Amino acid sequence: MTATTTTGSEAALGISMSEARRLVIDLKRPAPWIYWPDLLASVAVGAAAFAAFPVRAPLSPVAAVCVLVSALAFYRAVLFVHELVHAAADLRGFTLVWHLLVGIPFLAPKFVYEFHREHHASRTYGTAADGEYVDYATGPWWRVLATPCTALVGLPVFILRFLVLAPLSWLVPPLRRFVLTRASALAIDAEFVRTLPDGPVPRRWIVQEAACFGYCLTMAALLATGHLPLIRFAQFYAVITVLLFVNWLRVLASHRYEGGGAPMSFPDQILDSVDHTSFPLLAELWAPVGLRYHAVHHFFPWLPYHALPQARRRLVAALPADGGYRHTADPSLWATLRRLLARTRRDAKGALR
């Protein structure tokens, strides 16, 4: 892949950056009439499926369906945080409502994902400074299989972060920096250390953190007094676990993870990303809100999610038959994961020789 760093974007991708930008620049503006119904419908479906859960038969097939539908609907709603990070100035009112309906209740406020912009910078993409990149392709195969299983501890970790560590860090200053740098980023790299902004902690961070603490404290009080049935908390745990498990599958399929830890050029960053254009209805379940077009997104991080399908169609139509960007498309989630596992096993066999 490193050979592309010296040949330029046109040789690597099949199209120059200036031409690619000209093709899609008219798609830049977010459309509120798409964002609002999408978010509200996702929350409504998730809430309806959650309410329909049969508490007297929690292990029944109907209960399993309710958990799955609720998890996938709320998963879509939660992933709007990705849009908020990229287009915050255009979505201020939307951001507030998203926090009230999803961000705070699911303990995923926007400030814990704001570091995501570094994932798109050529100086950091694929390096140790990129909290959203792990060298899965060159690591042990078992890490790929074990990663989605960490979904089981997701909710306890989130509760620990906001119910326990947050107030402790307010009272114990030496703990505050640790919490902000090591426990305030929705990163996939467990060793990632978040860089803090210069000056005091942004007010929005404190407000969002305090809101999550208040929410956790309220839920804990309701649970302790019996006003929140234990079965409902168990149901919420199941929804969060399914949500996180699906998200981990999406993360593993978003890139080829072949960077090896070295800085990568912008064309290489795009070629290391994956678009899933087949089975669109199914792909929308596990990679919603435009995230199934991950290579397009890395090409144009400023495009709203609803513009990505059209952007890819325009790019492909303008590419020559051998354009490198065409190779970013995979037929399915399974095909991407199978290639990733095959690569890890191939490297393991090579290391044993």
Side-chain angles (χ1 to χ4, degrees), residues 14-93:
I15 190 171
S16 68
M17 288 303 302
S18 59
E19 176 63 14
R21 181 182 177 86
R22 185 190 66 79
L23 287 173
V24 304
I25 191 63
D26 63 304
L27 304 175
K28 183 177 181 178
R29 192 72 176 173
W33 63 271
I34 295 178
Y35 276 78
W36 283 101
D38 196 342
L39 173 66
L40 297 177
S42 298
V43 172
V45 171
F50 194 90
F53 180 86
V55 293
R56 296 182 182 275
L59 301 180
S60 66
V62 173
V65 170
C66 288
V67 167
L68 180 61
V69 172
S70 183
L72 291 176
F74 281 129
Y75 173 52
R76 184 179 186 89
V78 168
L79 283 186
F80 270 96
V81 69
H82 184 256
E83 293 294 300
L84 304 185
V85 168
H86 281 288
D90 297 311
L91 300 171
R92 290 178 180 173

Side-chain angles (χ1 to χ4, degrees), residues 128-253:
D130 183 358
E132 294 187 87
Y133 198 97
V134 172
D135 294 323
Y136 288 113
T138 56
W141 62 268
W142 56 262
R143 183 168 61 178
V144 175
L145 298 178
T147 293
C149 298
T150 60
L152 291 169
V153 299
L155 182 58
V157 168
F158 293 159
I159 293 174
L160 175 66
R161 162 62 179 87
F162 288 108
L163 183 60
V164 179
L165 293 182
L168 281 178
S169 71
W170 300 336
L171 300 174
V172 183
L175 180 62
R176 186 62 173 162
R177 183 171 183 82
F178 171 83
V179 170
L180 292 177
T181 58
R182 299 302 299 269
S184 297
L186 291 176
I188 69 173
D189 182 359
E191 299 179 0
F192 176 67
V193 178
R194 183 174 186 175
T195 301
L196 299 181
D198 296 330
V201 177
R203 182 179 300 177
R204 66 182 182 279
W205 289 25
I206 299 173
V207 171
Q208 293 169 27
E209 184 181 47
C212 287
F213 168 70
Y215 173 78
C216 285
L217 192 63
T218 300
M219 293 300 105
L222 292 175
L223 191 62
T225 58
H227 290 84
L228 176 63
L230 185 60
I231 186 61
R232 286 297 188 184
F233 179 77
Q235 177 192 358
F236 185 63
Y237 171 78
V239 167
I240 293 293
T241 300
V242 172
L243 185 158
L244 292 175
F245 182 84
V246 175
N247 187 61
W248 274 119
L249 295 181
R250 179 195 63 81
V251 166
L252 290 172

